[in-house]
Amino acid sequence: MNSAISNWNNTDYRSIYLKQLKEQPLCYDPNLKIWVAYSYEYCKALLMNEDAYVPVPFIDDDGPMNDKVKLLLHKLARISNNEQHLASRGAAMRIYESIGKVAVDDVLQQLLGGIDIENEFDWVEVVGKQLPILVILKGLGFNEEDSAYITANLAMLVRVMLPGKTAEDIDELNPLVSRFYAIAEKYAVTHHLATGEPETDALITCNLIGLFIQCYDGGRGLLCNVLLSLAGYNNKRPENKKDAEFYNKLVAETIRWDPPVHNTRRIANKDICLGNETIKAGETILIVLAAANLDYRVFKDPGQFDLMRGNNDAHLTFGAGGHNCLAKYFSIGLVADTCRFLVNNFQNITILQKEFSYEPQLNVRLVKQLSVKLS
């Protein structure tokens, strides 16, 4: 029997994680040929270990991917290590620091204004897939034409990160990535992010595209999961609707209890000793962040949703160490602002679904559809 979850549909993942935390917080799965870390202690130790490398995709220099696709995959901070990671992360930080403040309320009004929200609509399509990228594009000052192209084609762009791309995928991605690269490169020059140094400017351009990619699944997942939490608190909302503490606690506990990102992978560059086990150099490790967030040694009554827990923000959903997520505070602020907007403008948030189906990706748990009405 495999230790890792292979399908989110009809799977009680919390029970699986809680069982593994008690019985096998670190184990080797012989069927998958992978180490699986569940406990908070082991997950954090691996995230902080410089010898636990992020897997880098194989790039065939003589293969059918064009130069821009290859360059993008070589330069992204999230899939690089050592000096390359430090340089790419520096470029990504330069981009994040240039994002201006955006009124999330205005973007939500735009998205919800054109539909009948008092009847059924899909929160995933209307808000989840659009709000994060629109806020980023507005915060960076992208023009309307480029913003429209990026938003319309982002769902296809994210496929550049998938392993095992088919020849058809590559045929579609080659011109798409080239167009995204041209847009990002032009933006970097006109908004004074570019330095004139080719290597640095390539890092900035690639990691700007990486920001678009990263916000798509992660942003949508957070917006869906926190909406489900908020809907469950219809009768427990703050009397003062501007109470920032309530929204921050709601977001933090949702991120701990029901995170969109469940696991990440590493490869041991050298032998790594954890507890009584030795992970040999070259072996792959699945770090189950969502299980670490349920570790009873760190969180009291971890299987319960509890806004008043004192250490909710100690979760590992955004990682730790050098590869911790740069979008952490942006994402939390975006989702908290969305909750505040909903509470200020609607008395009822009704989830119309009883059952959910999930996307096939196994590192993230994303609902395909979330039927909602607001009144």
Side-chain angles (χ1 to χ4, degrees):
M1 180 178 177
N2 293 344
S3 302
I5 292 172
S6 60
N7 189 337
W8 296 120
N9 295 313
N10 302 312
T11 298
D12 182 1
Y13 68 86
R14 289 192 191 93
S15 293
I16 295 171
Y17 292 163
L18 290 169
K19 182 175 184 292
Q20 290 294 139
L21 282 163
K22 289 184 178 180
E23 297 179 2
Q24 287 186 305
L26 177 68
C27 62
Y28 183 77
D29 189 316
N31 295 316
L32 298 176
K33 297 182 180 179
I34 190 172
W35 285 92
V36 188
Y38 292 95
S39 75
Y40 191 97
E41 177 188 358
Y42 292 154
C43 287
K44 189 169 184 179
L46 288 163
L47 292 171
M48 301 291 289
N49 194 320
E50 294 182 356
D51 291 322
Y53 278 18
V54 172
V56 177
F58 171 74
I59 302 170
D60 183 357
D61 289 333
D62 297 321
M65 292 190 298
N66 70 21
D67 290 343
K68 290 297 185 285
V69 177
K70 294 173 186 175
L71 184 64
L72 178 64
L73 294 175
H74 275 301
K75 302 296 184 184
L76 288 178
R78 62 189 290 193
I79 50 173
S80 58
N81 297 286
N82 298 331
E83 291 80 6
Q84 175 63 64
H85 176 253
L86 291 174
S88 296
R89 189 175 175 87
M93 280 295 299
R94 184 178 174 92
I95 296 163
Y96 273 100
E97 289 170 353
S98 69
I99 300 176
K101 179 66 177 176
V102 173
V104 173
D105 289 18
D106 293 343
V107 184
L108 282 165
Q109 290 279 16
Q110 173 190 339
L111 292 173
L112 298 174
I115 61 173
D116 183 5
I117 58 176
E118 294 188 2
N119 288 304
E120 182 176 357
F121 73 96
D122 183 4
W123 177 263
V124 175
E125 293 294 332
V126 175
V127 176
K129 291 182 178 181
Q130 297 193 74
L131 180 62
I133 187 61
L134 289 174
V135 171
I136 286 172
L137 293 171
K138 286 181 179 293
L140 289 171
F142 272 79
N143 63 45
E144 290 187 8
E145 180 182 354
D146 290 338
S147 293
Y149 180 84
I150 291 168
T151 305
N153 292 281
L154 187 54
M156 178 60 192
L157 176 68
V158 300
R159 290 166 63 186
V160 76
M161 303 301 297
L162 295 177
K165 290 180 279 292
T166 66
E168 183 179 355
D169 289 334
I170 294 172
D171 285 343
E172 293 179 356
L173 284 168
N174 279 338
L176 186 73
V177 172
S178 294
R179 176 71 184 277
F180 266 87
Y181 195 94
I183 291 172
E185 187 175 44
K186 178 186 68 175
Y187 172 87
V189 171
T190 58
H191 287 74
H192 310 294
L193 286 176
T195 65
E197 201 283 314
E199 176 65 20
T200 300
D201 291 348
L203 287 171
I204 291 170
T205 301
C206 289
N207 282 282
L208 180 53
I209 298 172
L211 171 58
F212 302 156
I213 294 171
Q214 191 169 7
C215 82
Y216 185 75
D217 283 340
R220 124 191 200 192
L222 279 178
L223 285 164
C224 290
N225 293 359
V226 175
L227 179 72
L228 291 170
S229 297
L230 182 64
Y233 268 75
N234 268 355
N235 298 320
K236 301 178 183 178
R237 299 181 186 183
E239 293 182 7
N240 177 4
K241 294 183 178 181
K242 296 182 180 180
D243 185 357
E245 185 178 7
F246 168 80
Y247 300 108
N248 290 336
K249 285 184 175 180
L250 180 75
V251 174
E253 176 64 344
T254 301
I255 291 172
R256 183 201 70 85
W257 188 75
D258 190 16
V261 178
H262 273 240
N263 59 69
T264 186
R265 289 178 183 247
R266 295 291 189 269
I267 295 176
N269 185 51
K270 299 179 181 177
D271 287 1
I272 297 174
C273 296
L274 285 178
N276 297 321
E277 303 287 358
T278 298
I279 301 171
K280 297 292 187 182
E283 292 184 318
T284 302
I285 314 154
L286 187 71
I287 303 173
V288 189
L289 306 170
N293 293 346
L294 296 173
D295 195 327
Y296 59 93
R297 289 161 286 233
V298 178
F299 303 101
K300 183 180 179 181
D301 298 324
Q304 300 299 313
F305 187 91
D306 180 7
L307 289 186
M308 304 312 294
R309 192 190 317 274
N311 66 338
N312 289 336
D313 59 359
H315 61 78
L316 293 181
T317 298
F318 291 109
H323 276 89
N324 69 306
C325 181
L326 290 174
K328 174 180 179 178
Y329 295 109
F330 170 84
S331 301
I332 291 171
L334 173 71
V335 179
D337 285 349
T338 299
C339 291
R340 188 178 295 106
F341 169 86
L342 293 172
V343 171
N344 286 342
N345 289 277
F346 304 102
Q347 289 295 319
N348 298 296
I349 302 167
T350 306
I351 308 299
L352 300 175
Q353 286 173 252
K354 300 299 182 184
E355 297 181 354
F356 303 95
S357 60
Y358 296 87
E359 300 288 358
Q361 300 104 298
L362 294 178
N363 66 312
V364 288
R365 184 173 178 270
L366 303 172
V367 295
K368 290 183 177 180
Q369 180 179 344
L370 183 54
S371 298
V372 177
K373 70 175 182 179
L374 304 172
S375 59

